[in-house]
Amino acid sequence: MDKAWGGRRDQSLRAIERRLSARGKLDHLRGVIRGHKRALIVTHDNPDPDAVGSALALRLIFERIGAINATVAYGGAVGRAENRTLLSLLKLPITPIDAVRPEAFDLFALVDTQPTAGNHSLNEARFWPQVVIDHHPWREASGRVAHADVDPGCGAASTLLVEALTAADIEPSPRLATALFYGIKSDTHDLADRASMADLSAYMQLFPLADRALLHRVEHPALPARYFQLVGQAYQRSRVHRDLVESNLGELYSPELTAEIAEQLLMLEGMRWSLTYGTFRRQLFVSVRAQGPRRHAGRVLGELCGGLEGSAGGHATMAGARLNLPAGDEAAWRFKQVLLARFLKRIGIHDLVGVSLSAIGRVRGVDAPF
Ligand SMILES: [Mn+2]
């Protein structure tokens, strides 16, 4: 009893510390943005709800504390049906980066990513960011950013923005609160994954403001027929190698499908790893999901892709890569085979052939004990 109570007291002390530190960070941010006129806030490519919510919150903060007009821009596409539904139902103002002229801005910010991460479309060589807010592991390059608020202890960048809004005494609109709420909810899988007390308290702060009926519609979006075709094909092509299930998704109509299907496949009983890959505009998209202790999905994928053209990264239980494919079908096919084989070997799986899902079903039967 005493111990639990003591733990709770420590938690509330930490919450107070975070509040004070958020105020300090806000003062620092105010100093950095002073004198600037127009800001360009860039999310990572193919932005997810956490990236979008964070960017829009930062836009509001720039407007309120610095009287700076800000534009939120992203590279890639918003592919996942949930995310497209979120944008359209909430009418969130974000712009493809190709539609903006960076020369017209004098302040640059990255959210939910960092310089040199390789997964965003801000031309760093010409427009080095002055502001970075992220929850991925710290990158050296962020040391050269005037205001870098990077906290890998948070499950979502939205949490850092909720703390900043609170420090600035700005109440988000119901639409923004809904986006931030969904950002935390989706990045932490309903607070089950990588969620800290800070995430929980931001989540609870947003709870009464968020439009949860709307979020229910977002989480159950209308899906095109080609989605079901692709998922069906993904299941048919799946191969199980010990406790890893992988699937070659072929040609994708949206790059985010690799992540979505990897998440589904990880639900196959007995699996600790899932890996999916598919091509979109001559690039290979790879997603890895992992569960259980001592998983290092991000590190493993990062090492394997180290010498290749593209980008890779992630956390312990989820990781992704985008790689340039060599020219020619034969070379591209070999490239994928080699990458898969190297991944399997790297995590200690020597069965490179694997078995299909239907073969597993036949072997185990309906009432066979597992
Ligand atoms: Mn995030």
Side-chain angles (χ1 to χ4, degrees):
M1 270 311 246
D2 283 341
K3 208 174 167 193
W5 175 247
R8 227 166 303 167
R9 186 195 55 204
D10 290 349
Q11 273 165 9
S12 57
L13 284 175
R14 270 197 295 276
I16 294 167
E17 274 167 20
R18 282 197 77 92
R19 269 187 191 230
L20 289 173
S21 120
R23 275 189 213 168
K25 287 192 282 191
L26 187 76
D27 286 339
H28 186 261
L29 179 65
R30 203 179 266 122
V32 166
I33 67 173
R34 183 170 298 137
H36 292 279
K37 297 272 179 293
R38 289 192 67 194
L40 182 63
I41 302 170
V42 180
T43 66
H44 58 71
D45 293 344
N46 313 315
D48 57 17
D50 185 38
V52 172
S54 302
L56 290 170
L58 187 60
R59 174 176 176 258
L60 181 61
I61 291 170
F62 280 171
E63 275 169 14
R64 292 286 181 81
I65 72 166
I68 295 168
N69 268 319
T71 299
V72 173
Y74 65 96
V78 180
R80 204 163 172 142
E82 287 89 334
N83 302 353
R84 279 211 307 272
T85 311
L86 179 82
L87 293 185
S88 69
L89 287 180
L90 290 178
K91 298 184 184 63
L92 299 175
I94 68 169
T95 318
I97 198 160
D98 295 338
V100 301
R101 282 183 48 246
E103 296 80 12
F105 299 87
D106 62 356
L107 178 64
F108 299 90
L110 288 176
V111 291
D112 208 18
T113 180
Q114 291 173 57
T116 71
N119 66 344
H120 64 78
S121 296
L122 177 66
N123 181 346
E124 295 169 1
R126 293 187 58 201
F127 310 103
W128 189 255
Q130 292 99 325
V131 176
V132 165
I133 301 184
D134 190 25
H135 69 121
H136 292 90
W138 169 262
R139 299 186 74 89
E140 272 315 297
S142 294
R144 291 183 283 119
V145 171
H147 180 86
D149 183 4
V150 175
D151 185 350
C154 283
S158 295
T159 296
L160 294 167
L161 270 303
V162 170
E163 291 178 334
L165 286 169
T166 309
D169 211 7
I170 303 170
E171 182 175 318
S173 67
R175 285 194 308 177
L176 178 57
T178 304
L180 288 165
F181 183 77
Y182 191 48
I184 299 174
K185 193 173 188 292
S186 56
D187 256 35
T188 63
H189 300 124
D190 292 300
L191 298 175
D193 235 358
R194 292 181 289 118
S196 63
M197 285 307 287
D199 296 307
L200 173 64
S201 98
Y203 183 93
M204 292 198 302
Q205 217 177 319
L206 295 166
F207 187 83
L209 299 174
D211 185 339
R212 298 188 305 279
L214 183 142
L215 278 186
H216 184 76
R217 286 168 65 198
V218 168
E219 288 180 304
H220 301 87
L223 296 163
R226 59 185 178 171
Y227 173 84
F228 294 93
Q229 271 165 8
L230 194 111
V231 170
Q233 181 187 295
Y235 290 162
Q236 243 158 30
R237 290 184 180 175
S238 292
R239 312 280 307 174
V240 173
H241 310 251
R242 203 186 68 194
D243 52 6
L244 176 143
V245 54
E246 49 91 5
S247 186
N248 178 358
L249 309 184
E251 195 70 30
L252 303 164
Y253 66 86
S254 160
E256 290 184 339
L257 290 161
T258 56
E260 188 168 338
I261 296 171
E263 270 159 34
Q264 288 171 13
L265 285 173
L266 192 61
M267 292 161 73
L268 176 65
E269 53 194 357
M271 294 302 113
R272 291 184 162 220
W273 297 91
S274 66
L275 186 157
T276 56
Y277 52 101
T279 53
F280 181 75
R281 294 187 188 145
R282 292 294 312 159
Q283 284 191 310
L284 184 70
F285 285 79
V286 184
S287 285
V288 176
R289 293 294 182 270
Q291 60 192 354
R294 294 180 302 281
R295 305 289 124 181
H296 307 289
R299 202 197 306 157
V300 171
L301 196 61
E303 279 169 21
L304 287 183
C305 300
L308 304 172
E309 260 178 71
S311 65
H315 310 278
T317 57
M318 53 199 289
R322 175 177 60 180
L323 302 166
N324 291 344
L325 278 171
D329 289 350
E330 177 71 23
W333 183 82
R334 276 191 60 81
F335 182 87
K336 293 177 212 170
Q337 292 298 308
V338 169
L339 194 70
L340 174 63
R342 286 172 59 196
F343 189 92
L344 289 168
K345 282 185 188 152
R346 174 64 181 71
I347 59 168
I349 295 179
H350 300 285
D351 166 20
L352 300 185
V353 180
V355 286
S356 67
L357 290 182
S358 55
I360 292 180
R362 275 199 300 276
V363 170
R364 289 184 176 164
V366 275
D367 52 7
F370 290 100

